[in-house]
């Protein structure tokens, strides 16, 4: 009897200690097809956003668990509590603000036009008139192009697929966020950017409307990471 009691006490102590030491988890949704913000490297999800959110997790004393999913599934995942936050180079648009809260912005970008080197007739967004343009489903570039009259868009799930089709002359251009476009240019020959400057877009972390406490904590952590040089060193590492 004593022996059983002893092992019971030991077991209970073990349970209590593991509860005290296990960090709370922070479930983070992303779509790892957006270099240099999030992408797969030999099967690992890496990138600017991933390092940034891990640094935020550190500040909050939470264990970051990354969940990779399709871009248009990210906001629904937040709304159904499958993830706590989303970091995905996501632009804080007015439309999305109806569904979720956004942290303070952490990066500014804009839409650009990617072309084949030998393209001579597309110089501005107006020149996309009558052309077939590749966009990624649910990205802001998709919205921008869909609002243009006389422009036909072809929607892709992943930007590398659109880039490939551009290289094979299946489409005339790709509209994509600036930093990611530059990243594709760096790694693919025969491409160039049209000389345009689209409206600035601010990337921010999305959080469920129900979780204002977490929103405040994340903003504080972001501020701290900007002050202590972490943010700057991540820019240097990835951009
Ligand atoms: N900034 C654009 C948007 O908010 C594209 C983001 C794409 N991000 C990604 N991880 N796939 O729509």
């Amino acid at each position: 009897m004593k022996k059983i009691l002893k092992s019971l006490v030991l077991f209970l102590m073990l349970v209590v200690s593991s509860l005290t030491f296990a960090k709370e988890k922070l479930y983070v949704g992303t779509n790892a097809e957006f270099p240099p913000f999030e992408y797969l490297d030999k099967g690992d999800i890496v990138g600017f956003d991933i390092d940034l959110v891990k640094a935020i997790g550190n500040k909050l004393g939470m264990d970051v668990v990354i969940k990779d999913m399709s871009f248009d599934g990210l906001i629904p995942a937040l709304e159904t509590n499958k993830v706590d936050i989303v970091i995905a180079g996501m632009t804080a648009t007015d439309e999305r603000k109806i569904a979720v809260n956004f942290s303070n912005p952490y990066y500014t970008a804009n839409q650009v036009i990617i072309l084949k080197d030998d393209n001579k007739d597309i110089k501005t967004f107006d020149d996309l008139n009558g052309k077939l343009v590749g966009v990624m489903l649910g990205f802001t570039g998709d919205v921008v192009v869909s609002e243009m009259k006389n422009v036909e868009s072809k929607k892709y799930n992943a930007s590398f697929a659109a880039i490939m089709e551009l290289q094979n002359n299946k489409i005339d251009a790709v509209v994509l966020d600036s930093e990611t476009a530059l990243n594709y240019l760096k790694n693919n020959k025969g491409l160039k950017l049209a000389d345009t400057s689209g409206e600035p877009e601010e990337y921010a972390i999305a959080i469920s409307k129900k979780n204002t406490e977490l929103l405040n904590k994340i903003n504080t952590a972001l501020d701290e990471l900007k002050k202590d040089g972490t943010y700057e060193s991540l820019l240097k590492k990835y951009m």
Side-chain angles (χ1 to χ4, degrees), residues 50-200:
I50 307 303
D51 281 5
L52 184 64
V53 80
K54 283 185 180 159
I56 290 173
N58 247 335
K59 292 263 179 211
L60 303 186
M62 293 172 93
D63 254 339
V64 168
V65 183
I66 307 280
K67 292 190 172 186
D68 190 17
M69 55 189 88
S70 71
F71 188 75
D72 59 349
L74 288 169
I75 289 188
L78 257 188
E79 290 178 309
T80 53
N81 296 320
K82 294 207 172 64
V83 295
D84 300 312
I85 65 173
V86 163
I87 191 162
M90 185 177 272
T91 307
T93 64
D94 288 340
E95 211 198 340
R96 291 175 183 154
K97 281 179 190 164
I98 298 172
V100 296
N101 280 333
F102 281 103
S103 70
N104 295 328
Y106 65 85
Y107 196 80
T108 306
N110 58 276
Q111 297 301 311
V112 297
I113 306 171
I114 310 175
L115 301 167
K116 281 196 70 169
D117 252 346
D118 54 11
N119 187 306
K120 294 203 175 60
D121 48 305
I122 300 176
K123 295 196 172 58
T124 67
F125 278 97
D126 287 340
D127 298 333
L128 294 178
N129 201 309
K131 305 285 191 220
L132 180 60
V133 180
V135 294
M136 271 44 70
L137 191 71
F139 285 22
T140 36
D142 183 6
V143 179
V144 169
V145 173
S146 303
E147 279 168 359
M148 295 163 83
K149 285 195 192 98
N150 284 323
V151 180
E152 200 189 328
S153 68
K154 186 164 177 194
K155 299 182 201 269
Y156 298 86
N157 282 315
S159 23
F160 74 83
I163 298 290
M164 235 169 67
E165 293 240 305
L166 176 66
Q167 284 173 319
N168 295 328
N169 299 314
K170 296 275 195 300
I171 50 180
D172 298 306
V174 172
V175 170
L176 186 62
D177 297 50
S178 41
E179 198 58 51
T180 302
L182 285 175
N183 196 278
Y184 280 113
L185 250 60
K186 210 164 57 190
N187 298 310
N188 293 276
K189 283 212 174 74
L191 300 175
K192 65 175 180 185
L193 293 188
D195 191 13
T196 52
S197 52
E199 287 271 298

Side-chain angles (χ1 to χ4, degrees), residues 2-15:
K2 246 192 186 164
K3 227 179 176 181
I4 297 179
L5 212 72
K6 218 172 161 187
S7 36
L8 193 74
V9 169
L10 233 98
F11 174 74
L12 283 178
M13 274 165 64
L14 217 82
V15 170

